[in-house]
Amino acid sequence: MINNQFLIPANTKRGELIFGIFMPVDLIILLTGVGITILALVIITTSNVMDTFTSILAVLPALIAALLVFPFNNYHNVRTAIGEVIAFYSNRQKYVWRGWCSSYEFKDK
C-alpha cells in the first residue's frame, strides 16, 4: 500500500517572493526609499549646499527602507516583526494563570 503523504520543503514560501526575498510591498518600500535618496542627492549636488548633515539627511530614507525590509529570524523581515509587536501590545489581552489544572472552567467576572 502506497502512502500518499508528501513532505513540504521548508522554503516553499520563498518561491512566491520576488527574488526569493521581497513581497511586493517590501519592494515598493525599498524602491521608494532609494528613489527619494537618489532624488535628494541629485538636488543637493546641483545646489551648493553640501555639508555632512544634509548628506546624512539625504541618505536616511534609503537606510530606513533597507532596515525595514531586512530579513529577520522567525519573521519575514523587520517590518513584519514591528507589526507583530505593535499588534501584541495594542490588543486587549487577559492572561489567567490556571496553574497545572487538567480542566478549567472560565468564569467571566
Side-chain angles (χ1 to χ4, degrees), residues 2-21:
I2 297 174
N3 193 354
N4 286 330
Q5 294 178 348
F6 298 101
L7 291 176
I8 299 173
N11 59 356
T12 55
K13 290 289 185 182
R14 288 197 122 183
E16 299 174 1
L17 302 176
I18 300 170
F19 303 122
I21 300 171

Side-chain angles (χ1 to χ4, degrees), residues 3-104:
N3 193 354
N4 286 330
Q5 294 178 348
F6 298 101
L7 291 176
I8 299 173
N11 59 356
T12 55
K13 290 289 185 182
R14 288 197 122 183
E16 299 174 1
L17 302 176
I18 300 170
F19 303 122
I21 300 171
F22 300 109
M23 292 189 309
V25 174
D26 298 333
L27 197 58
I28 290 170
I29 290 171
L30 183 64
L31 292 177
T32 303
V34 170
I36 291 171
T37 295
I38 290 173
L39 183 66
L41 287 174
V42 167
I43 290 171
I44 287 172
T45 54
T46 55
S47 65
N48 291 328
V49 185
M50 193 66 174
D51 61 343
T52 307
F53 180 71
T54 55
S55 300
I56 292 173
L57 202 60
V59 176
L60 205 57
L63 291 176
I64 292 172
L67 178 73
L68 285 174
V69 298
F70 189 77
F72 193 62
N73 269 350
N74 300 326
Y75 296 95
H76 174 68
N77 56 21
V78 175
R79 182 182 62 85
T80 306
I82 290 172
E84 291 292 326
V85 168
I86 290 171
F88 178 78
Y89 284 115
S90 64
N91 292 335
R92 295 192 70 170
Q93 300 165 356
K94 183 177 181 182
Y95 297 107
V96 179
W97 172 251
R98 295 185 291 170
W100 288 274
C101 300
S102 61
S103 64
Y104 175 71

